Amino acid sequence: MDPISILGILISLGIAAWQTKKANDTESKLFKILKSLPSQLTENISSTFQTANLTSDDLSFQESEELTDSAIIESREPLSQAIYRDLDGDGREELIVQFPFGLHGVAMQVYGLSNFEFRLIAQLTTDAPVFFEFEDVNNDGRIEIKSIETNVSSGLPYVMGLRDEVWYQLESSNFVEVKRVEPTPQEIKEVIETR
């Protein structure tokens, strides 16, 4: 092999090593930015609700175990939550942001990387003032999302307090219902009798 060919190979290897280092540095910076997003999003959500003059005193939320390990805004600011969980089973965690929605509901937005772009993947709302919970309930290795929703099969109004426990899984960019637990006929009868 002549010296010019050897020099060309060495230059090519040097360029490949430089590009790999640059890509690794960029990826490292991106992950640092993504890890700081929960607090930034929580602050943005807070300022949105502060301009609407809503506070945690205006909203009645049931606390869940998830609240202890996440970024939460408390005191006179609205309750919101930002956590990381791998919802789609791809081995990478998505950013999950929950915040008050509507008159007495909660919204959850899921953000993640897709084709090297950080974007909203999916969203889900509930009409009950309870944060979503995350657990692998059917032991399939994937996390399900628990929601509390108004029971409509009983035909009773929202104020009667009948709620369904609904479990979802994230499939692509949609939430698919995997389990629903409705009040029993006996529970419905007891609610009607006490009103």
Side-chain angles (χ1 to χ4, degrees), residues 120-165:
L120 175 65
I121 296 173
Q123 57 187 5
L124 187 62
T125 60
T126 180
D127 58 1
V130 180
F131 277 123
F132 295 88
E133 296 179 24
F134 308 92
E135 182 183 342
D136 181 6
V137 291
N138 57 8
N139 297 316
D140 65 351
R142 296 217 23 225
I143 294 176
E144 283 78 38
I145 299 100
K146 177 185 169 189
S147 172
I148 302 298
E149 300 176 4
T150 300
N151 175 271
V152 293
S153 65
S154 67
L156 297 173
Y158 181 88
V159 296
M160 296 296 272
L162 289 172
R163 305 287 184 259
D164 294 346
E165 183 178 288

Side-chain angles (χ1 to χ4, degrees), residues 29-47 66-67 69-73 77-85 93-99 109-112 118:
K29 288 177 186 175
L30 177 62
F31 283 117
K32 285 179 185 175
I33 291 169
L34 289 178
K35 285 295 182 184
S36 71
L37 280 175
S39 60
Q40 293 174 12
L41 287 172
T42 304
E43 289 169 12
N44 289 342
I45 291 167
S46 296
S47 63
E66 291 292 326
L67 296 178
D69 70 283
S70 62
I72 304 168
I73 298 174
E77 297 182 26
L79 293 176
S80 58
Q81 178 185 55
I83 60 173
Y84 284 99
R85 295 288 186 276
E93 293 182 326
E94 286 73 42
L95 172 63
I96 303 161
V97 180
Q98 299 187 64
F99 52 91
Q109 295 181 330
V110 179
Y111 295 87
F118 185 74

Side-chain angles (χ1 to χ4, degrees), residues 26 91 129 167:
T26 302
W167 293 89

